[in-house]
Amino acid sequence: MRSVSLVLLMIVVVLGGMGVWLQGPLPLDIEATRQLQRLIDPRSAWIEWLSLTAGWPMIVASTLLAGLFAASLARLPGAAALIIGVGIAMATERLARLALYVPRPSADIVEVASASASSGLPSTFAIFHGAACGGLILLTWGTRGREAMAVRLGAAVLLLAGCIGRVAAGGHWTSQVLASAALGALAAILAARLVGVRR
């Protein structure tokens, strides 16, 4: 798990640091968004629905649902680790938004489904689901059985689909979503260690 943590930390530092320094899209960000928008309608209803799972008040229901899955797989310590990981991730997101401002995609470069003046880094959706889905993947890592495999696969698909959707909608650049999801996953790993859940 140490090597995974190191890779995640490098993603956060490199992509996040470059985004803050350049104050704009990183190389390939624009092209990645345009390619996705050729395949996915930026105003697709499923993107909006998935985005709502990380917004108030749905974020509470999303966290409790993920906690129930964690409890079924790793009992109360697993549920506690997941909820603490989400708490760490969201506290980090709030603090980062106080200290940082990195522009989101603009409508003069790519299509933007819903314009926002808030910072594109971190992405609330990606950091939340990085912690929640990353926590579920962590708790089921190396565990066999249909339930564990289904939860692991479902969490991975939800995280990937949601992040792709946020980029396709012009809500964030790919680099912003990757850095945010990696930061959320790091919060999940930290919480698991604090609670004493070993994987």
Side-chain angles (χ1 to χ4, degrees):
M1 197 51 63
R2 188 171 295 174
S3 59
V4 173
S5 299
L6 184 58
V7 169
L8 292 170
L9 183 60
M10 287 176 60
I11 291 170
V12 172
V13 170
V14 172
L15 295 182
M18 286 179 65
V20 171
W21 181 51
L22 293 176
Q23 284 293 296
L26 272 55
L28 304 179
D29 272 345
I30 295 173
E31 188 55 33
T33 301
R34 287 176 176 166
Q35 288 294 335
L36 281 175
Q37 290 182 342
R38 287 187 186 106
L39 300 171
I40 302 169
D41 179 2
R43 289 173 172 76
S44 296
W46 68 268
I47 297 173
E48 180 62 26
W49 184 85
L50 279 181
S51 297
L52 290 175
T53 63
W56 185 261
M58 281 294 293
I59 193 169
V60 176
S62 299
T63 302
L64 291 176
L65 181 61
L68 286 174
F69 279 115
S72 72
L73 295 163
R75 307 199 191 294
L76 287 179
L82 188 133
I83 292 170
I84 291 169
V86 167
I88 292 170
M90 300 318 294
T92 303
E93 186 259 358
R94 289 291 98 190
L95 291 172
R97 285 185 178 275
L98 290 174
L100 302 173
Y101 180 82
V102 181
R104 292 173 179 256
S106 59
D108 58 334
I109 302 174
V110 295
E111 189 172 348
V112 175
S114 180
S116 174
S118 66
S119 178
L121 188 66
S123 159
T124 303
F125 178 92
I127 197 169
F128 168 71
H129 282 287
C133 295
L136 287 172
I137 292 168
L138 173 66
L139 291 171
T140 60
W141 198 255
T143 303
R144 296 183 179 181
R146 289 182 181 176
E147 184 184 6
M149 288 178 61
V151 169
R152 189 164 51 240
L153 179 61
V157 168
L158 175 61
L159 178 60
L160 182 62
C163 288
I164 287 172
R166 293 300 296 147
V167 174
H172 295 278
W173 296 117
T174 302
S175 58
Q176 295 173 345
V177 165
L178 289 174
S180 301
L183 188 55
L186 281 172
I189 292 170
L190 174 60
R193 289 181 178 167
L194 289 173
V195 173
V197 176
R198 302 289 178 195
R199 287 290 176 199

